[in-house]
Amino acid sequence: MKSNFHFSNLLGTVYSQGNVLFTPVGTSPNGEKTECLMSPVGNRLSVFDLVNNSSRTLPFQTRKNIASIALSPDGKVLVVIDEDGKLLLISPTLPRAPVLHHFNLKSPVGGVEFSRDGKYLAVTISSLLHVYHTPNILMREFAPWRLHRTYAGHSGEVTGVSWSDDGRFLLSHATDQTARLFSLNPVEEFRPKTFAGHRDALRGAWFGGKNEDTVYTVSRDGALFIWGSKTKEDGTLLDSHLVDADPDHRLGHTRWGIVHKHYFNQPNTKVTCAAFHQPAGLL
C-alpha cells in the first residue's frame, strides 16, 4: 500500500519568541482576497489566514528555535533566522514554500529588515550592521549572498534597524543608548550621525514626518525623543548649502537635534517592544 501524506499543520503549540509579520494583501489562486499573519512556533513557522480563518504550517524547520523573520515588500522572499544565526531563504508564494538558499551568519542576530524596494537586506550582528544584496529567487547561484557593506560605530549590541523610504539611508539602534544614521552608498561630505541623549538602551528608531523630516527614538525607560533639523536664528537650516546642493541625500546632510522629549512616567516599568506605523503616524 502506498501513501502520499505530506506535512500540513502543527497542532498544540504556542508562540515562544521571534517577531510576527503581516503579509501584503494579495489574491489567492482561486481569486479570493488574502491577508496573513506569520508567526514563529519553535523551529517552525505558522501562517494564519486572517480573511478565510484558516492556518497552516510551512513544511521547513530550522535547527534551533526561530529568532527573527523578515518578508520582502512584495511578499515573495522570506528570510528566517534561528538562534544560532542560521539563515534560510524561502519563497512563501510557491507551492510548498521551498527553501532556496542556506546561509550561516555564525552569530545570533539582533534585527533583520528588507529595504523598501526589496533589493537589500540589513542584518544586525553584535555591534555591527551588515547589508546584503537580496538573492534572485528566479536564478540559481553558487554564492547568492553578496555583502554590500558593513557599518560600525556602536559600542553595544545593535538590536534593530529601519530604512528610509527611498532606501538611501538606514537608522540603527543599540544597547549603547544611541541611534546612528548610515548611508547605503558613500555620499560626499557625509559622516554617520549619532542620536545620543537617552539614559537606557534603545527599543526602536524610525524615520517619520511628512517628508521624513523627523526621527523618533524610544528607550527602555520609556523616553521618546523627537528629532528634527537644527536651524539658525533666521529659520534657515544649518548646513543648508549641502542640503540645497544634494537634495537626494537631504537626510544625511541634515544636522539633527532634539525637538521634543516625552516620558512614559510609569514607576518600575520598562518598555519591552515598540512599533511605528508611518502612514498613520502611530507609535
Side-chain angles (χ1 to χ4, degrees):
M1 182 179 68
K2 295 182 178 180
S3 63
N4 58 349
F5 296 107
H6 65 272
F7 180 78
S8 174
N9 212 336
L10 197 64
L11 304 177
T13 57
V14 294
Y15 170 85
S16 59
Q17 68 173 2
N19 57 308
V20 297
L21 292 177
F22 288 94
T23 64
V25 178
T27 304
S28 64
N30 56 10
E32 296 180 349
K33 178 182 177 182
T34 61
E35 184 175 9
C36 299
L37 173 71
M38 291 184 171
S39 173
V41 181
N43 67 339
R44 290 186 178 272
L45 189 69
S46 291
V47 181
F48 301 91
D49 192 325
L50 304 178
V51 177
N52 301 308
N53 298 320
S54 62
S55 68
R56 63 190 178 98
T57 302
L58 300 184
F60 72 88
Q61 60 182 336
T62 56
R63 293 184 179 181
K64 296 287 186 70
N65 288 339
I66 296 174
S68 300
I69 58 176
L71 186 67
S72 63
D74 59 6
K76 295 181 179 180
V77 181
L78 174 66
V79 167
V80 177
I81 306 175
D82 69 9
E83 297 171 329
D84 288 343
K86 303 291 195 306
L87 183 152
L88 302 181
L89 184 77
I90 298 156
S91 179
T93 57
L94 294 178
R96 308 205 49 186
V99 176
L100 303 179
H101 299 292
H102 295 257
F103 188 59
N104 187 2
L105 296 168
K106 300 180 181 180
S107 296
V109 169
V112 55
E113 189 76 24
F114 278 98
S115 62
R116 296 289 189 268
D117 57 9
K119 294 181 179 179
Y120 297 93
L121 180 72
V123 180
T124 69
I125 300 175
S126 186
S127 62
L128 300 176
L129 170 62
H130 305 277
V131 175
Y132 293 89
H133 294 271
T134 302
N136 188 343
I137 63 173
L138 301 178
M139 180 187 301
R140 295 186 65 88
E141 300 175 274
F142 177 73
W145 290 99
R146 293 182 294 114
L147 181 66
H148 177 69
R149 287 182 73 186
T150 296
Y151 306 83
H154 285 287
S155 59
E157 180 184 355
V158 183
T159 53
V161 60
S162 60
W163 290 82
S164 62
D165 281 342
D166 58 12
R168 289 189 171 101
F169 292 93
L170 305 94
L171 193 61
S172 61
H173 59 273
T175 58
D176 62 2
Q177 306 174 12
T178 67
R180 289 180 68 86
L181 178 68
F182 299 101
S183 64
L184 178 65
N185 297 305
V187 176
E188 188 176 355
E189 296 192 49
F190 168 77
R191 293 182 178 179
K193 313 291 185 182
T194 301
F195 299 80
H198 284 278
R199 298 183 178 181
D200 207 339
L202 263 62
R203 292 302 192 198
W206 306 272
F207 297 101
K210 185 176 181 181
N211 298 309
E212 292 191 313
D213 53 2
T214 305
V215 168
Y216 301 98
T217 56
V218 175
S219 59
R220 187 175 61 174
D221 60 0
L224 165 64
F225 288 5
I226 301 176
W227 305 75
S229 55
K230 291 183 178 180
T231 58
K232 302 177 183 177
E233 293 182 357
D234 58 1
T236 59
L237 296 176
L238 292 174
D239 295 336
S240 59
H241 63 288
L242 295 176
V243 176
D244 294 338
D246 189 10
D248 290 339
H249 299 99
R250 172 181 51 82
L251 290 175
H253 296 309
T254 298
R255 191 176 298 185
W256 298 91
I258 299 174
V259 179
H260 297 290
K261 294 182 180 180
H262 303 279
Y263 297 93
F264 194 30
N265 292 328
Q266 292 287 339
N268 303 318
T269 302
K270 298 295 184 181
V271 176
T272 57
C273 181
F276 179 63
H277 188 273
Q278 185 175 2
L282 296 176
L283 177 65

